[in-house]
């Protein structure tokens, strides 16, 4: 009977250990929540231990990423409409804030970019958007950077892609 109990204890320990081990890859950081509170320092790449069920670890990619913003109707100066999308390159610089400030930073960044594009479009004519989109791209980028910085995200580039009228 005591061998059976020892086997159960060993099996329970191995299951706990397997549930507590996390492999953090290069280009990721592990953010640990202990009883719902975030630990101050993210875990670096390697094999890391988070004591399940007291701690949970979330992997956050910290290498540059590209977000494609789908085409949408923008109202330019003079109430002219144009279809435009965008490409946004960004990098998570603070994994803890990126996880804590917004539920899903990819979705939030996409939604924010669409909203800012709508707001900024009214300041530019269709011709400026079609033939010289750099000015609008820079203005959208500056607006995005203000909010994204609070989320622990750095905007590397923003490029407006006009589809036409």
């Amino acid at each position: 009977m005591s061998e059976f109990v020892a086997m159960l204890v060993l099996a329970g320990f191995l299951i706990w250990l397997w549930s507590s081990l996390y492999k953090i890859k290069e280009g990721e950081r592990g953010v640990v929540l202990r009883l719902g509170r975030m630990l101050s320092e993210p875990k670096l790449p390697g094999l890391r231990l988070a004591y399940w069920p007291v701690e949970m670890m979330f992997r956050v990619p910290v290498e540059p990423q590209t977000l494609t913003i789908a085409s949408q109707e923008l109202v330019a100066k003079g109430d002219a409409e144009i279809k435009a999308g965008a490409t946004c390159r960004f990098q998570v610089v603070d994994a803890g804030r990126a996880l804590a400030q917004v539920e899903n930073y990819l979705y939030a960044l996409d939604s924010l970019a669409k909203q800012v594009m709508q707001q900024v479009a009214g300041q530019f004519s269709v011709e400026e958007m079609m033939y010289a989109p750099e000015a609008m791209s820079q203005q959208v980028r500056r607006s995005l950077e203000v909010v994204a910085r609070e989320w622990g995200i750095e905007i590397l580039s923003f490029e407006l892609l006009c589809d036409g009228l």
Side-chain angles (χ1 to χ4, degrees):
M1 184 67 168
S2 107
E3 290 178 9
F4 179 71
V5 171
M7 291 291 280
L8 280 178
V9 168
L10 179 63
F13 174 75
L14 291 176
I15 291 171
W16 172 83
L17 184 63
W18 185 257
S19 299
S20 297
L21 283 176
Y22 290 87
K23 180 180 169 188
I24 307 297
K25 299 176 189 168
E26 196 65 43
E28 292 181 336
R29 296 296 177 266
V31 178
V32 178
L33 299 179
R34 180 177 293 150
L35 297 175
R37 298 203 59 170
M38 188 177 309
L39 298 184
S40 60
E41 290 297 316
K43 301 290 183 184
L44 297 175
L47 195 59
R48 303 291 176 219
L49 193 62
Y51 303 109
W52 180 86
V54 176
E55 295 180 343
M56 292 180 59
M57 186 177 302
F58 295 91
R59 294 176 192 90
V60 179
V62 293
E63 51 194 19
Q65 301 177 55
T66 301
L67 177 64
T68 302
I69 295 141
S71 287
Q72 60 182 338
E73 293 283 332
L74 300 177
V75 179
K77 193 187 299 181
D79 291 335
E81 289 188 5
I82 187 171
K83 281 190 79 111
T87 301
C88 180
R89 287 196 32 85
F90 68 95
Q91 182 173 10
V92 175
V93 292
D94 187 340
R97 284 197 331 206
L99 186 66
Q101 295 295 319
V102 288
E103 184 175 344
N104 181 343
Y105 64 86
L106 287 172
Y107 177 76
L109 192 58
D110 180 64
S111 298
L112 180 64
K114 288 177 182 176
Q115 180 184 5
V116 170
M117 284 171 60
Q118 290 285 348
Q119 292 171 350
V120 171
Q123 301 170 15
F124 294 89
S125 68
V126 172
E127 291 79 21
E128 290 172 323
M129 290 168 136
M130 290 289 288
Y131 302 113
E134 297 83 21
M136 182 174 164
S137 294
Q138 287 302 316
Q139 191 165 346
V140 172
R141 179 182 176 180
R142 283 191 298 272
S143 297
L144 283 176
E145 284 176 339
V146 171
V147 177
R149 196 173 300 122
E150 295 173 12
W151 298 343
I153 296 172
E154 178 183 347
I155 304 295
L156 302 174
S157 69
F158 187 88
E159 184 178 337
L160 186 68
L161 308 167
C162 293
D163 298 339
L165 300 173

